[in-house]
Amino acid sequence: MNYAHRIDGKKRVHLKEYDPEERRGLTKEEAQEKTAELARELNELDDLLFAAGQQSMLIILQGRDTSGKDGAIRHLLNIVNVQSCRVVPFKVPTPIELAHDFLWRIHAETPPRGAMHIFNRSHYEDVLVVRVHNLVPEAVWRKRYDHINAFERLLVDSGTILLKFYLHISKEEQEKRLLEREKETEKAWKLSVGDWKERELWDRYTEAYEEALTRCSSPEIPWHIAPANNKWFRDLAITEQVVEALRPYRKPWMEHLSKIGETAKRELMEYRAQRTGA
Ligand code: ADP
């Protein structure tokens, strides 16, 4: 049983059925110990992803304000190879982005083989904030679920290992975190009236998230709901999924690398033989 909940799209998601406070009986220290062990494995797997250069990895992080997207990114960046990892934040689209289809700016940022990209927000904003604020007519955003599914299928068929996380916090936890930002000087830079305004639309966001999580999940390309009231549990849930997604490739990547190594050694021996012969 995994720490994050895997959504396969077979039944409608109701977020109230998932406990944001979940800790599976673990203390913070126990969870951190498990995370550290998984992190060691992730570090190795990430090196192989980079060296083998056969697949890419895309991690999509979505969640309400203060749900911990930045914290989860900080955690992952402490583990992976910075050379092959890139974080891509998606903000309000620019005029040139708005003059294209909604996936244009997203596709341009997908990872090439050997790389890991982490999306801080994503194309899902186009069925979340856009829907909640009526930024385009319903007839336009409604079609986007199919567009998203086709797009993600294309990425996966082209060798992308795709993981999508919804960081699940409660309304009470969000209030606590927003108030902390006011109290703590080093967190105050994150303060925004917008966050309080968005909070008033909590139920409309819930509706939008539930539909996106339901309609854009399949057994092959699932969403994962990561309980996120406890930051240490969120990190454990995410690290575990990333490791599990990469683990099946360990053997083929090592085989591929050992073949490359053999060829390189043979070429070197031939080169040396030629030099001595000459
Ligand atoms: P953070 O992700 O840390 O909250 P910002 O405060 O800059 O960063 O928020 C980015 C904002 O951009 C969010 O309010 C988000 O809803 C908005 N945004 C992202 N994508 C879109 C989009 N496609 N259309 C409209 N707004 C978007």
PDB file of all heavy atoms in Angstrom, residues 56-87:
ATOM      1  N   SER A  56      12.712  10.226 -20.193  1.00  0.00           N
ATOM      2  CA  SER A  56      12.760  11.479 -19.433  1.00  0.00           C
ATOM      3  C   SER A  56      11.737  11.351 -18.313  1.00  0.00           C
ATOM      4  O   SER A  56      10.899  10.455 -18.337  1.00  0.00           O
ATOM      5  CB  SER A  56      12.402  12.655 -20.338  1.00  0.00           C
ATOM      6  OG  SER A  56      11.075  12.507 -20.796  1.00  0.00           O
ATOM      7  N   MET A  57      11.835  12.252 -17.349  1.00  0.00           N
ATOM      8  CA  MET A  57      10.845  12.216 -16.276  1.00  0.00           C
ATOM      9  C   MET A  57      10.207  13.580 -16.084  1.00  0.00           C
ATOM     10  O   MET A  57      10.897  14.605 -16.031  1.00  0.00           O
ATOM     11  CB  MET A  57      11.503  11.772 -14.972  1.00  0.00           C
ATOM     12  CG  MET A  57      10.541  11.858 -13.806  1.00  0.00           C
ATOM     13  SD  MET A  57      11.014  10.773 -12.481  1.00  0.00           S
ATOM     14  CE  MET A  57       9.485   9.914 -12.187  1.00  0.00           C
ATOM     15  N   LEU A  58       8.887  13.577 -16.004  1.00  0.00           N
ATOM     16  CA  LEU A  58       8.152  14.821 -15.761  1.00  0.00           C
ATOM     17  C   LEU A  58       7.299  14.653 -14.511  1.00  0.00           C
ATOM     18  O   LEU A  58       6.470  13.753 -14.424  1.00  0.00           O
ATOM     19  CB  LEU A  58       7.256  15.150 -16.973  1.00  0.00           C
ATOM     20  CG  LEU A  58       6.330  16.354 -16.811  1.00  0.00           C
ATOM     21  CD1 LEU A  58       7.097  17.633 -16.480  1.00  0.00           C
ATOM     22  CD2 LEU A  58       5.496  16.570 -18.076  1.00  0.00           C
ATOM     23  N   ILE A  59       7.545  15.538 -13.545  1.00  0.00           N
ATOM     24  CA  ILE A  59       6.766  15.521 -12.303  1.00  0.00           C
ATOM     25  C   ILE A  59       5.899  16.784 -12.278  1.00  0.00           C
ATOM     26  O   ILE A  59       6.427  17.901 -12.349  1.00  0.00           O
ATOM     27  CB  ILE A  59       7.690  15.493 -11.065  1.00  0.00           C
ATOM     28  CG1 ILE A  59       8.565  14.235 -11.103  1.00  0.00           C
ATOM     29  CG2 ILE A  59       6.876  15.553  -9.774  1.00  0.00           C
ATOM     30  CD1 ILE A  59       9.595  14.151  -9.977  1.00  0.00           C
ATOM     31  N   ILE A  60       4.592  16.594 -12.211  1.00  0.00           N
ATOM     32  CA  ILE A  60       3.675  17.734 -12.183  1.00  0.00           C
ATOM     33  C   ILE A  60       3.169  17.925 -10.748  1.00  0.00           C
ATOM     34  O   ILE A  60       2.659  16.982 -10.142  1.00  0.00           O
ATOM     35  CB  ILE A  60       2.484  17.491 -13.144  1.00  0.00           C
ATOM     36  CG1 ILE A  60       2.978  17.428 -14.585  1.00  0.00           C
ATOM     37  CG2 ILE A  60       1.407  18.560 -12.963  1.00  0.00           C
ATOM     38  CD1 ILE A  60       1.897  17.143 -15.620  1.00  0.00           C
ATOM     39  N   LEU A  61       3.345  19.133 -10.225  1.00  0.00           N
ATOM     40  CA  LEU A  61       2.852  19.426  -8.879  1.00  0.00           C
ATOM     41  C   LEU A  61       1.721  20.448  -8.960  1.00  0.00           C
ATOM     42  O   LEU A  61       1.890  21.536  -9.520  1.00  0.00           O
ATOM     43  CB  LEU A  61       3.968  19.989  -7.994  1.00  0.00           C
ATOM     44  CG  LEU A  61       5.171  19.075  -7.751  1.00  0.00           C
ATOM     45  CD1 LEU A  61       6.211  19.795  -6.900  1.00  0.00           C
ATOM     46  CD2 LEU A  61       4.759  17.768  -7.075  1.00  0.00           C
ATOM     47  N   GLN A  62       0.582  20.046  -8.438  1.00  0.00           N
ATOM     48  CA  GLN A  62      -0.558  20.954  -8.363  1.00  0.00           C
ATOM     49  C   GLN A  62      -1.058  20.966  -6.924  1.00  0.00           C
ATOM     50  O   GLN A  62      -0.844  20.004  -6.188  1.00  0.00           O
ATOM     51  CB  GLN A  62      -1.686  20.487  -9.295  1.00  0.00           C
ATOM     52  CG  GLN A  62      -1.457  20.767 -10.757  1.00  0.00           C
ATOM     53  CD  GLN A  62      -1.610  22.222 -11.174  1.00  0.00           C
ATOM     54  OE1 GLN A  62      -1.129  22.609 -12.226  1.00  0.00           O
ATOM     55  NE2 GLN A  62      -2.263  23.049 -10.362  1.00  0.00           N
ATOM     56  N   GLY A  63      -1.710  22.025  -6.556  1.00  0.00           N
ATOM     57  CA  GLY A  63      -2.269  22.114  -5.215  1.00  0.00           C
ATOM     58  C   GLY A  63      -2.641  23.549  -4.944  1.00  0.00           C
ATOM     59  O   GLY A  63      -2.188  24.459  -5.647  1.00  0.00           O
ATOM     60  N   ARG A  64      -3.471  23.727  -3.933  1.00  0.00           N
ATOM     61  CA  ARG A  64      -3.924  25.082  -3.605  1.00  0.00           C
ATOM     62  C   ARG A  64      -2.757  25.894  -3.038  1.00  0.00           C
ATOM     63  O   ARG A  64      -1.708  25.340  -2.719  1.00  0.00           O
ATOM     64  CB  ARG A  64      -5.025  24.998  -2.552  1.00  0.00           C
ATOM     65  CG  ARG A  64      -6.196  24.127  -2.996  1.00  0.00           C
ATOM     66  CD  ARG A  64      -7.146  23.980  -1.839  1.00  0.00           C
ATOM     67  NE  ARG A  64      -8.054  22.872  -2.001  1.00  0.00           N
ATOM     68  CZ  ARG A  64      -9.330  22.983  -2.353  1.00  0.00           C
ATOM     69  NH1 ARG A  64      -9.845  24.156  -2.642  1.00  0.00           N
ATOM     70  NH2 ARG A  64     -10.091  21.910  -2.425  1.00  0.00           N
ATOM     71  N   ASP A  65      -2.984  27.202  -2.898  1.00  0.00           N
ATOM     72  CA  ASP A  65      -1.950  28.056  -2.316  1.00  0.00           C
ATOM     73  C   ASP A  65      -1.575  27.497  -0.945  1.00  0.00           C
ATOM     74  O   ASP A  65      -2.460  27.058  -0.198  1.00  0.00           O
ATOM     75  CB  ASP A  65      -2.471  29.498  -2.168  1.00  0.00           C
ATOM     76  CG  ASP A  65      -2.751  30.118  -3.535  1.00  0.00           C
ATOM     77  OD1 ASP A  65      -1.952  29.895  -4.452  1.00  0.00           O
ATOM     78  OD2 ASP A  65      -3.790  30.795  -3.686  1.00  0.00           O
ATOM     79  N   THR A  66      -0.301  27.518  -0.636  1.00  0.00           N
ATOM     80  CA  THR A  66       0.302  27.017   0.619  1.00  0.00           C
ATOM     81  C   THR A  66       0.291  25.486   0.751  1.00  0.00           C
ATOM     82  O   THR A  66       0.606  24.959   1.806  1.00  0.00           O
ATOM     83  CB  THR A  66      -0.348  27.590   1.931  1.00  0.00           C
ATOM     84  OG1 THR A  66      -1.590  26.927   2.152  1.00  0.00           O
ATOM     85  CG2 THR A  66      -0.539  29.074   1.901  1.00  0.00           C
ATOM     86  N   SER A  67      -0.068  24.778  -0.313  1.00  0.00           N
ATOM     87  CA  SER A  67      -0.164  23.313  -0.167  1.00  0.00           C
ATOM     88  C   SER A  67       1.217  22.660  -0.098  1.00  0.00           C
ATOM     89  O   SER A  67       1.323  21.480   0.211  1.00  0.00           O
ATOM     90  CB  SER A  67      -0.975  22.714  -1.316  1.00  0.00           C
ATOM     91  OG  SER A  67      -0.345  22.991  -2.541  1.00  0.00           O
ATOM     92  N   GLY A  68       2.277  23.416  -0.411  1.00  0.00           N
ATOM     93  CA  GLY A  68       3.626  22.870  -0.228  1.00  0.00           C
ATOM     94  C   GLY A  68       4.341  22.502  -1.519  1.00  0.00           C
ATOM     95  O   GLY A  68       5.280  21.710  -1.504  1.00  0.00           O
ATOM     96  N   LYS A  69       3.924  23.111  -2.620  1.00  0.00           N
ATOM     97  CA  LYS A  69       4.599  22.796  -3.892  1.00  0.00           C
ATOM     98  C   LYS A  69       6.082  23.190  -3.818  1.00  0.00           C
ATOM     99  O   LYS A  69       6.954  22.422  -4.196  1.00  0.00           O
ATOM    100  CB  LYS A  69       3.908  23.522  -5.064  1.00  0.00           C
ATOM    101  CG  LYS A  69       2.451  23.102  -5.252  1.00  0.00           C
ATOM    102  CD  LYS A  69       1.812  23.710  -6.482  1.00  0.00           C
ATOM    103  CE  LYS A  69       1.547  25.192  -6.387  1.00  0.00           C
ATOM    104  NZ  LYS A  69       0.565  25.611  -5.352  1.00  0.00           N
ATOM    105  N   ASP A  70       6.320  24.397  -3.297  1.00  0.00           N
ATOM    106  CA  ASP A  70       7.723  24.856  -3.190  1.00  0.00           C
ATOM    107  C   ASP A  70       8.537  23.959  -2.261  1.00  0.00           C
ATOM    108  O   ASP A  70       9.684  23.639  -2.543  1.00  0.00           O
ATOM    109  CB  ASP A  70       7.788  26.301  -2.657  1.00  0.00           C
ATOM    110  CG  ASP A  70       7.201  27.307  -3.638  1.00  0.00           C
ATOM    111  OD1 ASP A  70       6.987  26.937  -4.809  1.00  0.00           O
ATOM    112  OD2 ASP A  70       6.950  28.453  -3.234  1.00  0.00           O
ATOM    113  N   GLY A  71       7.938  23.558  -1.161  1.00  0.00           N
ATOM    114  CA  GLY A  71       8.634  22.692  -0.198  1.00  0.00           C
ATOM    115  C   GLY A  71       8.959  21.341  -0.811  1.00  0.00           C
ATOM    116  O   GLY A  71      10.062  20.805  -0.630  1.00  0.00           O
ATOM    117  N   ALA A  72       8.014  20.791  -1.566  1.00  0.00           N
ATOM    118  CA  ALA A  72       8.234  19.489  -2.198  1.00  0.00           C
ATOM    119  C   ALA A  72       9.368  19.599  -3.224  1.00  0.00           C
ATOM    120  O   ALA A  72      10.203  18.699  -3.355  1.00  0.00           O
ATOM    121  CB  ALA A  72       6.952  19.009  -2.871  1.00  0.00           C
ATOM    122  N   ILE A  73       9.410  20.725  -3.929  1.00  0.00           N
ATOM    123  CA  ILE A  73      10.470  20.933  -4.932  1.00  0.00           C
ATOM    124  C   ILE A  73      11.830  21.030  -4.244  1.00  0.00           C
ATOM    125  O   ILE A  73      12.803  20.402  -4.665  1.00  0.00           O
ATOM    126  CB  ILE A  73      10.183  22.202  -5.773  1.00  0.00           C
ATOM    127  CG1 ILE A  73       8.966  21.954  -6.668  1.00  0.00           C
ATOM    128  CG2 ILE A  73      11.402  22.612  -6.596  1.00  0.00           C
ATOM    129  CD1 ILE A  73       8.431  23.179  -7.362  1.00  0.00           C
ATOM    130  N   ARG A  74      11.875  21.775  -3.151  1.00  0.00           N
ATOM    131  CA  ARG A  74      13.128  21.914  -2.402  1.00  0.00           C
ATOM    132  C   ARG A  74      13.619  20.536  -1.952  1.00  0.00           C
ATOM    133  O   ARG A  74      14.794  20.208  -2.050  1.00  0.00           O
ATOM    134  CB  ARG A  74      12.924  22.835  -1.203  1.00  0.00           C
ATOM    135  CG  ARG A  74      14.069  23.790  -1.008  1.00  0.00           C
ATOM    136  CD  ARG A  74      13.774  24.827   0.069  1.00  0.00           C
ATOM    137  NE  ARG A  74      12.621  25.668  -0.228  1.00  0.00           N
ATOM    138  CZ  ARG A  74      11.568  25.845   0.570  1.00  0.00           C
ATOM    139  NH1 ARG A  74      11.513  25.220   1.730  1.00  0.00           N
ATOM    140  NH2 ARG A  74      10.580  26.627   0.224  1.00  0.00           N
ATOM    141  N   HIS A  75      12.683  19.735  -1.488  1.00  0.00           N
ATOM    142  CA  HIS A  75      13.030  18.390  -1.026  1.00  0.00           C
ATOM    143  C   HIS A  75      13.617  17.558  -2.187  1.00  0.00           C
ATOM    144  O   HIS A  75      14.680  16.942  -2.039  1.00  0.00           O
ATOM    145  CB  HIS A  75      11.778  17.714  -0.449  1.00  0.00           C
ATOM    146  CG  HIS A  75      11.919  16.251  -0.264  1.00  0.00           C
ATOM    147  ND1 HIS A  75      12.709  15.708   0.733  1.00  0.00           N
ATOM    148  CD2 HIS A  75      11.416  15.203  -0.960  1.00  0.00           C
ATOM    149  CE1 HIS A  75      12.666  14.398   0.644  1.00  0.00           C
ATOM    150  NE2 HIS A  75      11.891  14.058  -0.375  1.00  0.00           N
ATOM    151  N   LEU A  76      12.958  17.572  -3.333  1.00  0.00           N
ATOM    152  CA  LEU A  76      13.438  16.757  -4.465  1.00  0.00           C
ATOM    153  C   LEU A  76      14.799  17.254  -4.967  1.00  0.00           C
ATOM    154  O   LEU A  76      15.676  16.466  -5.308  1.00  0.00           O
ATOM    155  CB  LEU A  76      12.417  16.767  -5.606  1.00  0.00           C
ATOM    156  CG  LEU A  76      11.137  15.959  -5.345  1.00  0.00           C
ATOM    157  CD1 LEU A  76      10.089  16.247  -6.416  1.00  0.00           C
ATOM    158  CD2 LEU A  76      11.434  14.449  -5.291  1.00  0.00           C
ATOM    159  N   LEU A  77      14.969  18.569  -4.976  1.00  0.00           N
ATOM    160  CA  LEU A  77      16.237  19.122  -5.476  1.00  0.00           C
ATOM    161  C   LEU A  77      17.424  18.780  -4.587  1.00  0.00           C
ATOM    162  O   LEU A  77      18.562  18.804  -5.029  1.00  0.00           O
ATOM    163  CB  LEU A  77      16.138  20.640  -5.634  1.00  0.00           C
ATOM    164  CG  LEU A  77      15.287  21.147  -6.788  1.00  0.00           C
ATOM    165  CD1 LEU A  77      15.385  22.666  -6.889  1.00  0.00           C
ATOM    166  CD2 LEU A  77      15.679  20.523  -8.121  1.00  0.00           C
ATOM    167  N   ASN A  78      17.125  18.470  -3.339  1.00  0.00           N
ATOM    168  CA  ASN A  78      18.210  18.046  -2.444  1.00  0.00           C
ATOM    169  C   ASN A  78      18.674  16.630  -2.762  1.00  0.00           C
ATOM    170  O   ASN A  78      19.707  16.198  -2.275  1.00  0.00           O
ATOM    171  CB  ASN A  78      17.734  18.074  -0.988  1.00  0.00           C
ATOM    172  CG  ASN A  78      17.924  19.450  -0.400  1.00  0.00           C
ATOM    173  OD1 ASN A  78      18.867  20.145  -0.762  1.00  0.00           O
ATOM    174  ND2 ASN A  78      17.027  19.846   0.476  1.00  0.00           N
ATOM    175  N   ILE A  79      17.881  15.916  -3.530  1.00  0.00           N
ATOM    176  CA  ILE A  79      18.195  14.509  -3.792  1.00  0.00           C
ATOM    177  C   ILE A  79      18.783  14.287  -5.184  1.00  0.00           C
ATOM    178  O   ILE A  79      19.713  13.531  -5.364  1.00  0.00           O
ATOM    179  CB  ILE A  79      16.908  13.645  -3.681  1.00  0.00           C
ATOM    180  CG1 ILE A  79      16.243  13.854  -2.315  1.00  0.00           C
ATOM    181  CG2 ILE A  79      17.208  12.175  -3.930  1.00  0.00           C
ATOM    182  CD1 ILE A  79      14.873  13.238  -2.211  1.00  0.00           C
ATOM    183  N   VAL A  80      18.197  14.977  -6.171  1.00  0.00           N
ATOM    184  CA  VAL A  80      18.541  14.635  -7.553  1.00  0.00           C
ATOM    185  C   VAL A  80      19.770  15.405  -8.064  1.00  0.00           C
ATOM    186  O   VAL A  80      20.244  16.335  -7.414  1.00  0.00           O
ATOM    187  CB  VAL A  80      17.330  14.846  -8.506  1.00  0.00           C
ATOM    188  CG1 VAL A  80      16.190  13.935  -8.112  1.00  0.00           C
ATOM    189  CG2 VAL A  80      16.896  16.297  -8.502  1.00  0.00           C
ATOM    190  N   ASN A  81      20.194  14.984  -9.231  1.00  0.00           N
ATOM    191  CA  ASN A  81      21.351  15.556  -9.894  1.00  0.00           C
ATOM    192  C   ASN A  81      20.959  16.903 -10.524  1.00  0.00           C
ATOM    193  O   ASN A  81      20.156  16.929 -11.459  1.00  0.00           O
ATOM    194  CB  ASN A  81      21.747  14.532 -10.973  1.00  0.00           C
ATOM    195  CG  ASN A  81      22.907  14.970 -11.801  1.00  0.00           C
ATOM    196  OD1 ASN A  81      23.379  16.095 -11.709  1.00  0.00           O
ATOM    197  ND2 ASN A  81      23.380  14.053 -12.617  1.00  0.00           N
ATOM    198  N   VAL A  82      21.510  17.990 -10.026  1.00  0.00           N
ATOM    199  CA  VAL A  82      21.085  19.317 -10.499  1.00  0.00           C
ATOM    200  C   VAL A  82      21.363  19.507 -11.992  1.00  0.00           C
ATOM    201  O   VAL A  82      20.686  20.285 -12.653  1.00  0.00           O
ATOM    202  CB  VAL A  82      21.805  20.466  -9.738  1.00  0.00           C
ATOM    203  CG1 VAL A  82      20.842  21.572  -9.418  1.00  0.00           C
ATOM    204  CG2 VAL A  82      22.485  19.967  -8.488  1.00  0.00           C
ATOM    205  N   GLN A  83      22.364  18.781 -12.484  1.00  0.00           N
ATOM    206  CA  GLN A  83      22.701  18.907 -13.902  1.00  0.00           C
ATOM    207  C   GLN A  83      21.571  18.473 -14.824  1.00  0.00           C
ATOM    208  O   GLN A  83      21.425  18.968 -15.924  1.00  0.00           O
ATOM    209  CB  GLN A  83      23.900  18.004 -14.186  1.00  0.00           C
ATOM    210  CG  GLN A  83      25.137  18.777 -14.488  1.00  0.00           C
ATOM    211  CD  GLN A  83      26.123  17.934 -15.240  1.00  0.00           C
ATOM    212  OE1 GLN A  83      26.457  18.258 -16.355  1.00  0.00           O
ATOM    213  NE2 GLN A  83      26.599  16.856 -14.640  1.00  0.00           N
ATOM    214  N   SER A  84      20.788  17.505 -14.360  1.00  0.00           N
ATOM    215  CA  SER A  84      19.773  16.930 -15.243  1.00  0.00           C
ATOM    216  C   SER A  84      18.366  17.317 -14.815  1.00  0.00           C
ATOM    217  O   SER A  84      17.391  16.864 -15.386  1.00  0.00           O
ATOM    218  CB  SER A  84      19.884  15.408 -15.219  1.00  0.00           C
ATOM    219  OG  SER A  84      19.742  14.953 -13.889  1.00  0.00           O
ATOM    220  N   CYS A  85      18.266  18.193 -13.801  1.00  0.00           N
ATOM    221  CA  CYS A  85      16.929  18.518 -13.285  1.00  0.00           C
ATOM    222  C   CYS A  85      16.623  19.998 -13.462  1.00  0.00           C
ATOM    223  O   CYS A  85      17.495  20.844 -13.289  1.00  0.00           O
ATOM    224  CB  CYS A  85      16.863  18.152 -11.804  1.00  0.00           C
ATOM    225  SG  CYS A  85      15.214  18.406 -11.123  1.00  0.00           S
ATOM    226  N   ARG A  86      15.393  20.270 -13.820  1.00  0.00           N
ATOM    227  CA  ARG A  86      14.999  21.669 -14.015  1.00  0.00           C
ATOM    228  C   ARG A  86      13.603  21.877 -13.437  1.00  0.00           C
ATOM    229  O   ARG A  86      12.733  21.008 -13.595  1.00  0.00           O
ATOM    230  CB  ARG A  86      14.976  21.988 -15.507  1.00  0.00           C
ATOM    231  CG  ARG A  86      15.293  23.423 -15.838  1.00  0.00           C
ATOM    232  CD  ARG A  86      15.916  23.511 -17.223  1.00  0.00           C
ATOM    233  NE  ARG A  86      14.899  23.356 -18.256  1.00  0.00           N
ATOM    234  CZ  ARG A  86      14.005  24.303 -18.554  1.00  0.00           C
ATOM    235  NH1 ARG A  86      13.973  25.442 -17.900  1.00  0.00           N
ATOM    236  NH2 ARG A  86      13.123  24.100 -19.510  1.00  0.00           N
ATOM    237  N   VAL A  87      13.400  23.011 -12.786  1.00  0.00           N
ATOM    238  CA  VAL A  87      12.081  23.333 -12.250  1.00  0.00           C
ATOM    239  C   VAL A  87      11.446  24.374 -13.165  1.00  0.00           C
ATOM    240  O   VAL A  87      12.090  25.355 -13.527  1.00  0.00           O
ATOM    241  CB  VAL A  87      12.194  23.909 -10.821  1.00  0.00           C
ATOM    242  CG1 VAL A  87      10.827  24.306 -10.287  1.00  0.00           C
ATOM    243  CG2 VAL A  87      12.865  22.893  -9.894  1.00  0.00           C
TER     244      VAL A  87
END
